[in-house]
Amino acid sequence: PVVLDQVCTHCNRDNYNYNLAIPKPRGAQHMCPFQISEETITPLNNTKHLLVSAYMDQRVTGFDIRIIGIFRRDSIQPLHCLFCCSGYFSGSTPATISQHSDNFGFAFVTTDIMCQIPQHCNATHVTLLTQPDGENMSNQIWLQIRNKKTSEKEDKRLHFNFTVCISNLFGDYNNVLQFAQTLEIYRLLGVDRVVIYKTSCGPELDRLLQIYTQEGFVEMVPWPIDQHLNPSRGWLFSEHGGDVHYFGQLTTLNECIYRSMDRSHYVLLNDIDEIIMPYQHNDLMSLMNMLQQQHPDLFLIENHIFPKNPFDKSANSTMPQWRGVPGFNILEHIYREEPDRTLYHPHKMIVKPRAVEQTSVHDVLKMFGQKFKVPLDICRIIHSPISMPRQPLLDQLHLDTRLWDFKDRMLPNVMTVMRKAGLLKSEEQR
């Protein structure tokens, strides 16, 4: 008989659910796993779907494992979870497939596959089957199960206070100067780790990222989505075409939250040209200590655009070494546009990762806990895009020099990292 009372009450009723009796492991007749995926995107055999990662997640009653994937919406089929239990196969258990509600019209959508671990199984790896039995096990690709907890005491020791998730880096993006300044400001604000999902970038930015990766400040996650799908460069299928939203941005944001769940108190979800900036505190921890008095689990931060033009040329006058470095100096961007709040105006987020089940770009889709919209005078996003559809007039903008409060401490750090990357010109070259 099908057991329906194990299903998460807030899951989509259209999701597949096959929670049958959970079989015990098969015993010692087979050793596993044969092939463990070393890729960040793994095709699922006999389907049109892609798998990304698997995490222990027991927050939803009746489930133990959440597999994050990218599924073709018109080809959803029943799936079955098979576990490797300390070297031995389990029996297969039925999976529940949960498509995220945001797909923006694209054929492929971020999808969670929820599994229950069989009794007496110390699961280390998981794979998915299209049939409960009979598939050739030697051809199966296995995902390692992450976020496995060994004790409650260890569970409470989180390595980082703040992690920034930058969802996608693709094309020939090469804004070295803005990127270095942004990362060094985040370091001054108390960020411990920046996770970047990289498909491609320009050569100078790649050299800079290698330095940050060697230092341990940046964690680079390869994201070869273009080897599997035709990713869109836009957010809406009807306007931009392609297979999946914005190089799989929704999948990487969710993956980063789960990647950070057992190691970071807070996760900042923002783009590469944005800084979540406190305006009444010197660092993020002081900000969060104040905001936590309301006990929320998710903090919505309003976006404010600082146009590329007009700008303050004097901010770059003392840095001749930056001549020839690709990108622009964000210290020059001190004029802030007032958003039109009569229209939809986006936010970005600071979240407690363990409170989030599914997220989109500007808000969560499913969570455990409460949201809080942070007042503008306390914190806002400094958004410095490369281009805008229109250039506002100067008298329509507000002077905002908040970035200059970090200038004296940030500039030497930017010089140091660019020097290590070999991006600064010598006196003779200037």
Side-chain angles (χ1 to χ4, degrees):
V2 177
V3 182
L4 294 177
D5 59 355
Q6 295 183 5
V7 184
C8 166
T9 57
H10 54 275
C11 288
N12 190 324
R13 289 291 182 184
D14 295 333
N15 297 336
Y16 282 101
N17 182 35
Y18 300 91
N19 286 325
L20 307 178
I22 304 300
K24 294 182 180 180
R26 296 180 184 176
Q29 68 267 37
H30 299 291
M31 295 295 292
C32 63
F34 296 120
Q35 300 180 61
I36 301 173
S37 177
E38 297 181 355
E39 306 299 325
T40 50
I41 301 175
T42 303
L44 176 59
N45 290 347
N46 305 315
T47 74
K48 299 177 180 179
H49 311 318
L50 304 171
L51 303 181
V52 178
S53 51
Y55 291 95
M56 182 76 76
D57 183 10
Q58 297 174 317
R59 297 171 300 165
V60 180
T61 303
F63 299 108
D64 302 300
I65 299 296
R66 183 184 303 267
I67 300 172
I68 299 173
I70 304 173
F71 276 30
R72 186 174 175 91
R73 291 192 291 138
D74 63 3
S75 302
I76 303 298
Q77 63 203 97
L79 294 173
H80 306 266
C81 308
L82 184 67
F83 293 93
C84 185
C85 311
S86 299
Y88 302 102
F89 290 123
S90 70
S92 63
T93 65
T96 293
I97 302 171
S98 175
Q99 298 182 56
H100 289 212
S101 56
D102 274 3
N103 57 60
F104 302 108
F106 291 95
F108 286 81
V109 62
T110 303
T111 303
D112 294 337
I113 305 92
M114 308 294 290
C115 306
Q116 189 170 5
I117 298 176
Q119 297 176 359
H120 314 297
C121 170
N122 179 19
T124 59
H125 298 78
V126 64
T127 191
L128 292 173
L129 309 175
T130 55
Q131 300 293 330
D133 293 296
E135 293 190 32
N136 186 347
M137 294 299 104
S138 63
N139 293 331
Q140 289 301 121
I141 307 296
W142 296 79
L143 300 180
Q144 181 181 357
I145 298 172
R146 307 188 207 177
N147 290 2
K148 293 193 66 178
K149 308 173 186 65
T150 57
S151 69
E152 284 297 318
K153 186 175 181 181
E154 180 179 330
D155 183 33
K156 294 177 181 177
R157 291 203 313 263
L158 299 180
H159 193 58
F160 302 135
N161 285 321
F162 295 97
T163 296
V164 173
C165 293
I166 296 178
S167 55
N168 297 85
L169 187 58
F170 60 87
D172 56 356
Y173 185 88
N174 205 35
N175 195 339
V176 173
L177 189 51
Q178 179 186 19
F179 192 86
Q181 291 173 325
T182 297
L183 261 60
E184 292 303 333
I185 286 177
Y186 266 134
R187 204 198 299 257
L188 292 172
L189 288 172
V191 168
D192 304 288
R193 174 65 60 87
V194 178
V195 181
I196 301 174
Y197 292 78
K198 176 192 168 191
T199 303
S200 61
C201 67
E204 288 83 4
L205 183 56
D206 191 57
R207 285 157 60 185
L208 184 74
L209 289 171
Q210 290 179 32
I211 299 300
Y212 278 120
T213 302
Q214 292 167 10
E215 294 178 353
F217 187 52
V218 164
E219 178 179 352
M220 193 69 59
V221 181
W223 189 246
I225 187 70
D226 54 345
Q227 296 178 20
H228 302 276
L229 299 174
N230 174 27
S232 177
R233 290 176 176 265
W235 70 276
L236 190 63
F237 173 75
S238 60
E239 293 184 12
H240 307 285
D243 292 329
V244 66
H245 167 273
Y246 204 58
F247 275 71
Q249 180 187 30
L250 297 174
T251 305
T252 56
L253 287 174
N254 282 272
E255 210 283 332
C256 194
I257 287 176
Y258 281 88
R259 177 181 292 260
S260 306
M261 199 165 285
D262 267 17
R263 66 184 189 187
S264 190
H265 286 282
Y266 298 102
V267 169
L268 287 69
L269 302 172
N270 58 266
D271 291 338
I272 202 166
D273 57 0
E274 298 170 337
I275 299 173
I276 295 180
M277 174 62 72
Y279 272 67
Q280 296 183 11
H281 302 82
N282 293 326
D283 53 62
L284 289 167
M285 184 55 73
S286 300
L287 168 69
M288 299 313 297
N289 287 340
M290 185 272 292
L291 293 177
Q292 278 297 157
Q293 296 174 13
Q294 304 297 324
H295 305 292
D297 302 284
L298 180 148
F299 306 87
L300 294 167
I301 316 295
E302 189 174 89
N303 181 54
H304 285 254
I305 292 178
F306 287 63
K308 190 174 182 181
N309 292 301
F311 64 93
D312 185 335
K313 297 181 180 180
S314 65
N316 197 30
S317 60
T318 59
M319 289 292 144
Q321 302 94 326
W322 288 353
R323 293 172 187 163
V325 175
F328 59 75
N329 178 8
I330 61 174
L331 295 175
E332 297 174 346
H333 296 194
I334 58 173
Y335 295 103
R336 170 170 50 84
E337 188 174 33
E338 188 69 22
D340 184 355
R341 294 182 180 84
T342 63
L343 306 174
Y344 170 74
H345 187 62
H347 293 72
K348 292 297 174 69
M349 295 175 281
I350 302 176
V351 304
K352 293 181 179 178
R354 296 184 184 199
V356 178
E357 187 179 353
Q358 296 179 355
T359 193
S360 187
V361 179
H362 302 294
D363 205 346
V364 293
L365 303 176
K366 296 180 182 179
M367 68 172 295
F368 311 90
Q370 302 297 319
K371 302 178 187 179
F372 179 71
K373 188 175 289 187
V374 180
L376 301 180
D377 61 332
I378 294 176
C379 184
R380 61 172 63 123
I381 294 174
I382 295 177
H383 182 188
S384 303
I386 290 179
S387 61
M388 292 179 62
R390 59 177 180 80
Q391 292 298 331
L393 300 175
L394 183 59
D395 58 7
Q396 298 174 332
L397 302 174
H398 303 279
L399 182 67
D400 187 334
T401 59
R402 174 58 171 154
L403 286 175
W404 289 6
D405 295 337
F406 298 85
K407 178 179 178 181
D408 291 342
R409 291 181 294 158
M410 180 263 284
L411 292 181
N413 297 339
V414 171
M415 297 292 286
T416 297
V417 71
M418 289 202 294
R419 187 176 295 110
K420 288 180 180 178
L423 297 171
L424 295 183
K425 291 185 177 181
S426 64
E427 290 287 343
E428 294 77 12
Q429 291 173 314
R430 295 198 301 272

